[in-house]
Amino acid sequence: MAIEDDVCVIGGGLAGMTAALRAAREGARVRLLSHKKSTLRHASGLVDILGYDDDELVANPFDALASLPESHPYRRVGGDAVRAGLSLFDDVTGDAYRGNHTDANALVATHGGTVKPTARYPTRVAPGLASQDRKTLLVGFDSLTAFDAPLAADHLAAAGVPGTTRGVTVGFPGDFRADSRVTRFARALDDDETVEIANGSMPVRRALARAVESHLGGAERVGFPAVLGEEESGAVREALESSLGVDVFEVPMGPPSLLGLGLEALFQEALDEAGVRRTTGNPVVEFDASDERIRSVSTDRNGRPTPFHADEFVLATGGLVGKGIDSDREEVVEPVFDCYVPHPDDRYEWFADEAFGDHPFARFGVTVDDDLRPLDADGRTEYDNLRAAGGVLGGVDFAAEKSGSGISLATGHAAGRAAGAATNQ
Amino acid sequence: MATETEALVIGGGSTGCGIARDLALRGVDTTLVERGNLTHGTTGRMHGLLHSGGRYAVSDQESAAECIAESRVLREIASHCVEMTGGLFVQLPADDDEYFEEKLAGCRDCDIPAEVISGEEAREIEPYLTRDVERAIRVPDGAIDPFRLCVANAADAEEHGARIETHAEVTDVLVEDDQVKGVEIRHESGPGKRSHHEPGTTERIEADHVVNATGAWAGELGAMAGVDVEVRPSKGVMTVMNTRQVDTVVNRCRPKGDADIIVPHETACILGTTDVEVEDPDDYPEEQWEVDMMIDTLSELVPILGEARTIRSFWGVRPLYEPPDTGTTDPTDITRQFFLLDHADRDSLAGMTSIVGGKLTTYRLMAEQITDHVCEKLGVEGSCRTAEQPLPGSEDFSVLRDYMEEFGLRSPIGRRSTERLGSKADEVLKTDDPNPVVCTCEAVTRAELDHAIADAGTDLNATRIRTRASMGNCQGGFCAHRIAALLHPEYDEATTRTALDELYEERWKGQRHALWGEQLSQAMLNHALHATTMNRDRYPAASDDGIEYDRFDAGPPTPEAAADGGRRDDAHERADSREDDHGD
């Protein structure tokens, strides 16, 4: 029997999940197709709206939106859509995130020892904000090489953060392999496993507090790499705070990022509650269109196509990282619908010479109209019932201006609302 | 005030380091100066082929015979730098039968073990070879690590009393009365624990004899002494693949041509190469057509290369030389022989010898002949021992056992670390501290990096060369910051930050030639991790403008304030209860 829905969203990242959720709230029957693990496992878990505008650090992203170039996705959807996307985000994440009490950006310490402007931050991160004038101790683990706490502390001090920042490296208590993944530490803390230490054994939360205790000095807060539990992170932090007698926070980390994965889990829970049907594991490889409308897309399941029919489609397959935009030596393409992706013919014009230069490749993506419908090379709508959201959109280097999550939320929200509304007509 | 030495060797490539080692072993007081780091010139920019001699068996049999002899020597003295992969000369339908027979006969004339195998047998050895393979000649080609080789030679020279001065550029050759008296060098900031001089300071080094071993740069050095050295630098591209599509060196069996060799090297394969004469060995175009040609032409031989992931490309310049008036127009026809230019005979300029041409496989033989010549000039007796005396790290074969259990490492890492470290493995890897893997692509552990940093200091590219850290698929995206962090606290935050930027930029440079498909995706991920997650493109500590921290969110208002208009009370429950736990 044919699979039929009102709205079909392709791509299970932040933009796709937001679009699916928003469309479902319009009362639509929604299908979310995702192929591989989403790129949220690479993401810090911070939700940035806009951190830099023309190289200037932005204190209030909402003030800066209007001055962005016309081609910017935020200009396409408008400032209200940015707020609406964030509001949906706040609703989904509830107590797990902070930052909705103000329009101002927060500055969060990164594991590389800089501070990063961001609009929403996990509650686990909140006590660590750089603008608080407090004595801070950063704690790293000697087998977790991605976070060198003494170095990060020196970087932060050199950046002039208020208060004092010290760093110390300790061994994670217990007999873990030198190459344990962060999830192994997190699980041990979730379960409060009993670990062997120098003189006997004790639960790992207590053992960790004990390992840090003697380094406290006069610290008013202690920051750990973001490995303090997956399921029970609140309990882990509370246990450490009560043992140490100070606030405990976490520093966002690179992949695999527990904060990014945690964010994904919150959205998936909301999707299930909203009745969104999720189909995962197979790529969309072809589609059927007539009269300038997409009729169905098909996933490839071991060589057999499975068609999914819908009235409205949302393309949220991500950018270069998630392969929503792909390339070979000759050209850059959007592989699902072959939407137009502007790019120079000569691939030696795709990059800047400096590592952090103004890379054209970072802006690769589809161009859209004000309703987020992809445009062809002549500026005409590709399909009447196809909208694009998130990283697949071009015209912006989200990494340089720190806007990736914000764009996903704002455009995901706008695309989902429009798609849902269209099916009601 | 001048420093004095008996022999001064200019150039820290394989030839210069080989000469310095040989001289030092014969008891000559030796100084080596290099403008960059060791391997900075051509040595660090080649495909890592240990020639059986098969490539020259038709065109240049003298070179071919030297290659097989020296290959045998290097397998003995530098086993930790060599992987004997074996090699194939593969004939496709378009390739000439007659040339195939000449190649086979040539190998036999030169004492190169050579065996003809069928196309089917060749595909059993290398399953990714095209189905069209007619037949192949099997020869003892191998892969050699030029970085380790060079460092091992320099280390042994130092152990025998030589002074090795890197980051020291020759600014003038001192000539008096048709006699080279020495050189003037300018010190640049040198990394690490090596004692370097103040950057920007100059030093006069007086020498009884100067050896110009600057390869492609020999003409420039010669000019400082007022002599012509007609070196003809020729560039070639090397394209690095993400994995070992072949485990054997694969050569196309045809007379000559670009893009005809694939060399497996550690975890990667290197495709080579082009051969285009350039004016200036420091400034020449790195061109897209060269990269495209590697992939397009070599995928005729190994079709999967057309689809496979390229992680970067780099270029090197060959130090080709031919005697004046030879007049060869095509650089591929210029001999690969080396030439010893005795400027006393040639230009009536005493006290200096130049060495040009040649290739890595025969570096030791070249060094021996130069050293014989220099010793004769200096009146030093003593015979060459470099063909018998193993290089450091290679002498104790028992250390190449599996160290897995002893060091608590998982097997591929243990094996590979010990291969990289040779007999130093025991000393380096035996640590009481946890020894996590820092570079996962290449499986390089912290202990190994710490050991390399002890030598190379803040020059993380030198550490990279010693360990291969950051040379895999991610090109430093996942590990560059972890490697840099190992410099701290010995070096301060600003130094660490600069060192990281240098490493990251260097990795970027080569990736620019591989930016499509998977590697473009990787580049965007690296950009996101470093610019977004770490915000490394905006290090506040690196900027002159301070941040006005009080303009930014300092966290949700206190519960009392929230009651007065905060948007969400429930958010603060935990913060609330926490304050009761500790009232400081």
Side-chain angles (χ1 to χ4, degrees):
Chain A
M1 205 185 73
I3 303 165
E4 294 201 19
D5 297 282
D6 296 332
V7 175
C8 176
V9 178
I10 306 157
L14 190 55
M17 293 191 294
T18 303
L21 203 51
R22 187 61 188 79
R25 289 182 179 182
E26 289 288 320
R29 177 186 162 102
V30 181
R31 171 84 48 183
L32 179 63
L33 299 175
S34 58
H35 174 202
K36 292 185 284 198
K37 287 185 196 163
S38 88
T39 50
L40 279 165
R41 72 184 184 285
H42 295 315
S44 65
L46 300 180
V47 173
D48 311 338
I49 299 295
L50 187 73
Y52 294 86
D53 179 19
D54 264 351
D55 290 346
E56 292 292 315
L57 177 61
V58 169
N60 184 334
F62 295 96
D63 290 348
L65 293 182
S67 65
L68 292 171
E70 185 63 29
S71 58
H72 196 288
Y74 284 149
R75 292 295 301 278
R76 294 281 140 187
V77 297
D80 288 348
V82 180
R83 287 194 185 275
L86 264 187
S87 158
L88 182 143
F89 174 88
D90 291 336
D91 191 43
V92 169
T93 57
D95 205 24
Y97 269 76
R98 292 283 186 270
N100 67 354
H101 59 279
T102 175
D103 279 354
N105 273 329
L107 294 171
V108 173
T110 77
H111 73 97
T114 71
V115 291
K116 189 180 100 147
T118 193
R120 297 285 186 275
Y121 39 91
T123 307
R124 307 165 65 161
V125 168
L129 296 189
S131 296
Q132 295 174 5
D133 185 354
R134 301 169 80 184
K135 294 195 181 86
T136 307
L137 175 69
L138 296 179
V139 177
F141 300 127
D142 60 3
S143 54
L144 193 67
T145 57
F147 180 58
D148 185 307
L151 175 60
D154 283 2
H155 280 322
L156 289 167
V161 298
T164 56
T165 310
R166 285 182 299 122
V168 64
T169 302
V170 303
F172 192 91
D175 190 18
F176 294 97
R177 272 193 346 190
D179 288 321
S180 295
R181 293 179 67 82
V182 295
T183 43
R184 180 67 191 92
F185 296 130
R187 199 168 67 238
L189 288 163
D190 274 345
D191 298 346
D192 206 8
E193 289 175 14
T194 299
V195 292
E196 301 296 323
I197 56 169
N199 35 16
S201 61
M202 66 169 67
V204 67
R205 296 175 189 171
R206 186 135 53 87
L208 178 56
R210 188 165 287 189
V212 172
E213 228 161 32
S214 62
H215 300 284
L216 269 182
E220 296 161 286
R221 57 180 175 178
V222 177
F224 292 90
V227 303
L228 302 185
E230 280 190 279
E231 309 290 327
E232 301 293 334
S233 63
V236 172
R237 251 175 2 102
E238 269 177 57
L240 290 172
E241 286 179 335
S242 104
S243 298
L244 292 170
V246 295
D247 284 353
V248 166
F249 65 95
E250 295 177 71
V251 177
M253 301 289 290
S257 163
L258 296 187
L259 300 181
L261 291 167
L263 177 56
E264 182 171 35
L266 289 170
F267 266 81
Q268 287 179 347
E269 208 175 295
L271 289 169
D272 292 343
E273 273 173 31
V276 171
R277 290 156 179 78
R278 293 197 280 141
T279 304
T280 58
N282 298 302
V284 171
V285 291
E286 56 190 42
F287 67 98
D288 187 34
S290 59
D291 300 329
E292 298 184 348
R293 292 182 71 80
I294 308 284
R295 302 295 166 178
S296 68
V297 297
S298 296
T299 59
D300 173 63
R301 198 154 120 196
N302 303 323
R304 280 210 333 273
T306 308
F308 293 85
H309 299 267
D311 295 331
E312 300 290 326
F313 291 83
V314 177
L315 177 68
T317 42
L320 287 166
V321 177
K323 298 286 172 57
I325 301 295
D326 207 352
S327 61
D328 59 22
R329 280 187 283 154
E330 313 302 326
E331 59 175 355
V332 183
V333 297
E334 182 281 295
V336 177
F337 299 107
D338 199 21
C339 291
Y340 168 65
V341 179
H343 63 277
D345 287 338
D346 180 351
R347 71 166 191 266
Y348 277 64
E349 291 175 20
W350 295 356
F351 56 82
D353 280 345
E354 301 75 36
F356 290 125
D358 187 6
H359 296 301
F361 72 76
R363 299 170 188 275
F364 285 169
V366 302
T367 56
V368 290
D369 66 12
D370 284 348
D371 195 23
L372 294 176
R373 289 180 302 179
L375 300 173
D376 66 14
D378 300 319
R380 288 187 300 253
T381 308
E382 297 254 17
Y383 300 98
D384 289 341
N385 63 339
L386 176 66
R387 291 174 184 80
V392 76
L393 298 173
V396 58
D397 181 348
F398 75 82
E401 67 173 34
K402 329 294 163 189
S403 62
S405 308
I407 290 172
S408 289
L409 292 172
T411 59
H413 184 274
R417 183 175 59 181
T423 62
N424 287 334
Q425 281 166 13
Chain B
M1 207 189 70
T3 36
E4 288 174 7
T5 184
E6 272 185 280
L8 176 79
V9 181
I10 307 169
S14 56
T15 311
C17 291
I19 295 168
R21 178 190 189 222
D22 200 339
L23 285 165
L25 282 175
R26 297 194 210 189
V28 176
D29 177 29
T30 303
T31 299
L32 180 147
V33 294
E34 159 60 48
R35 69 171 182 170
N37 210 331
L38 297 179
T39 76
H40 178 85
T42 305
T43 300
R45 312 188 72 79
M46 48 97 67
H47 48 42
L49 173 65
L50 181 64
H51 280 276
S52 63
R55 277 178 82 79
Y56 306 119
V58 178
S59 58
D60 188 352
Q61 294 205 340
E62 200 179 329
S63 289
E66 285 173 5
C67 281
I68 188 65
E70 283 300 303
S71 162
R72 291 183 172 121
V73 170
L74 291 180
R75 279 179 255 165
E76 292 298 320
I77 66 162
S79 58
H80 60 327
C81 303
V82 171
E83 182 187 354
M84 280 313 292
T85 60
L88 296 175
F89 281 86
V90 175
Q91 185 189 18
L92 300 189
D95 301 334
D96 188 26
D97 273 339
E98 202 179 317
Y99 184 77
F100 188 91
E101 297 302 336
E102 275 181 59
K103 177 74 83 183
L104 184 63
C107 285
R108 292 184 172 152
D109 290 346
C110 300
D111 191 28
I112 301 166
E115 175 198 3
V116 177
I117 58 175
S118 68
E120 204 173 306
E121 288 167 322
R123 280 174 45 81
E124 268 172 32
I125 297 169
E126 287 304 338
Y128 285 131
L129 281 175
T130 170
R131 291 179 190 283
D132 299 345
V133 176
E134 299 264 325
R135 55 186 173 157
I137 302 170
R138 201 171 175 176
V139 295
D141 281 340
I144 186 160
D145 184 330
F147 304 107
R148 276 180 258 167
L149 182 69
C150 218
V151 169
N153 270 283
D156 204 34
E158 234 173 11
E159 278 173 30
H160 290 86
R163 174 184 172 198
I164 307 288
E165 197 66 49
T166 58
H167 302 274
E169 183 168 14
V170 171
T171 51
D172 196 16
V173 177
L174 309 171
V175 181
E176 275 173 39
D177 304 329
D178 295 331
Q179 165 86 36
V180 172
K181 293 289 190 188
V183 298
E184 189 173 84
I185 59 172
R186 185 179 56 233
H187 293 285
E188 279 312 324
S189 84
K193 293 188 171 168
R194 304 186 61 83
S195 56
H196 284 277
H197 296 246
E198 185 67 22
T201 58
T202 59
E203 179 184 353
R204 264 171 83 95
I205 304 178
E206 288 176 1
D208 298 332
H209 200 85
V210 171
V211 178
N212 171 14
T214 54
W217 292 263
E220 295 171 22
L221 204 282
M224 290 186 201
V227 294
D228 284 333
V229 179
E230 299 82 358
V231 69
R232 293 177 61 176
S234 161
K235 71 166 173 172
V237 69
M238 265 78 47
T239 293
V240 186
M241 307 306 293
N242 69 326
T243 183
R244 280 170 73 126
Q245 282 86 4
V246 295
D247 283 323
T248 316
V249 175
V250 175
N251 302 267
R252 182 85 177 259
C253 190
R254 60 182 179 191
K256 66 172 185 184
D258 290 337
D260 65 351
I261 186 166
I262 309 165
V263 184
H265 207 56
E266 299 273 343
T267 55
C269 269
I270 299 181
L271 316 185
T273 181
T274 45
D275 198 344
V276 183
E277 203 163 335
V278 297
E279 290 272 316
D280 179 350
D282 283 319
D283 184 17
Y284 51 86
E286 299 176 342
E287 291 166 274
Q288 176 177 0
W289 68 263
E290 298 177 88
V291 176
D292 286 335
M293 177 195 269
M294 292 308 111
I295 296 167
D296 295 339
T297 306
L298 283 166
S299 57
E300 292 170 16
L301 208 51
V302 178
I304 196 179
L305 293 175
E307 302 301 313
R309 176 170 172 180
T310 301
I311 56 178
R312 57 195 284 117
S313 288
F314 61 93
W315 277 255
V317 277
R318 300 173 187 80
L320 299 184
Y321 175 85
E322 60 177 24
D325 307 324
T326 313
T328 308
T329 50
D330 183 343
T332 59
D333 291 332
I334 297 176
T335 177
R336 265 52 178 168
Q337 280 287 318
F338 76 88
F339 294 85
L340 184 160
L341 309 181
D342 180 344
H343 295 293
D345 289 351
R346 192 174 171 269
D347 307 296
S348 304
L349 177 69
M352 184 165 102
T353 303
S354 292
I355 179 153
V356 282
K359 55 202 153 301
L360 182 87
T361 300
T362 57
Y363 89 94
R364 193 212 59 82
L365 180 65
M366 292 159 62
E368 177 176 344
Q369 295 182 10
I370 297 284
T371 307
D372 286 347
H373 165 83
V374 173
C375 285
E376 195 190 311
K377 296 273 181 188
L378 294 173
V380 173
E381 304 272 325
S383 57
C384 177
R385 289 188 288 143
T386 57
E388 296 84 36
Q389 183 114 334
L391 284 161
S394 177
E395 66 267 39
D396 182 358
F397 278 86
S398 69
V399 303
L400 294 173
R401 289 193 309 266
D402 188 349
Y403 276 84
M404 186 173 82
E405 283 182 25
E406 192 169 350
F407 298 114
L409 293 167
R410 281 175 288 168
S411 64
I413 298 154
R415 201 182 69 239
R416 287 165 51 182
S417 289
T418 53
E419 277 171 9
R420 278 195 291 265
L421 294 164
S423 56
K424 290 181 296 180
D426 203 53
E427 168 200 338
V428 173
L429 296 177
K430 212 161 202 159
T431 164
D432 292 335
D433 298 326
N435 188 20
V437 172
V438 174
C439 160
T440 48
C441 298
E442 297 289 324
V444 186
T445 63
R446 180 161 64 198
E448 203 182 339
L449 282 160
D450 280 338
H451 174 75
I453 285 171
D455 280 344
T458 58
D459 186 347
L460 294 180
N461 284 309
T463 291
R464 167 179 67 79
I465 285 163
R466 282 165 167 80
T467 60
R468 292 193 57 80
S470 80
M471 291 172 79
N473 277 356
C474 85
Q475 293 285 293
F478 283 59
C479 63
H481 51 291
R482 302 169 191 240
I483 298 168
L486 299 178
L487 294 174
H488 188 267
E490 186 173 350
Y491 301 95
D492 65 14
E493 76 88 22
T495 308
T496 305
R497 179 156 33 89
T498 308
L500 171 56
D501 287 341
E502 279 169 11
L503 176 64
Y504 197 68
E505 282 296 339
E506 192 284 338
R507 295 284 77 194
W508 174 249
K509 193 165 177 278
Q511 280 173 84
R512 296 176 308 170
H513 301 287
L515 287 184
W516 67 85
E518 284 290 345
Q519 205 60 26
L520 184 58
S521 180
Q522 179 78 54
M524 189 63 213
L525 176 58
N526 291 353
H527 187 49
L529 293 176
H530 284 258
T532 304
T533 304
M534 285 186 265
N535 200 18
R536 281 216 312 111
D537 58 334
R538 318 270 185 180
Y539 257 116
S543 115
D544 294 334
D545 317 328
I547 295 176
E548 297 169 69
Y549 285 91
D550 55 5
R551 292 179 61 213
F552 291 84
D553 174 19
T558 58
E560 299 77 45
D564 293 332
R567 282 168 57 186
R568 223 169 49 184
D569 307 324
D570 58 350
H572 313 295
E573 280 167 15
R574 263 173 26 77
D576 206 355
S577 64
R578 200 161 58 225
E579 299 219 328
D580 298 333
D581 291 336
H582 54 93
D584 58 342

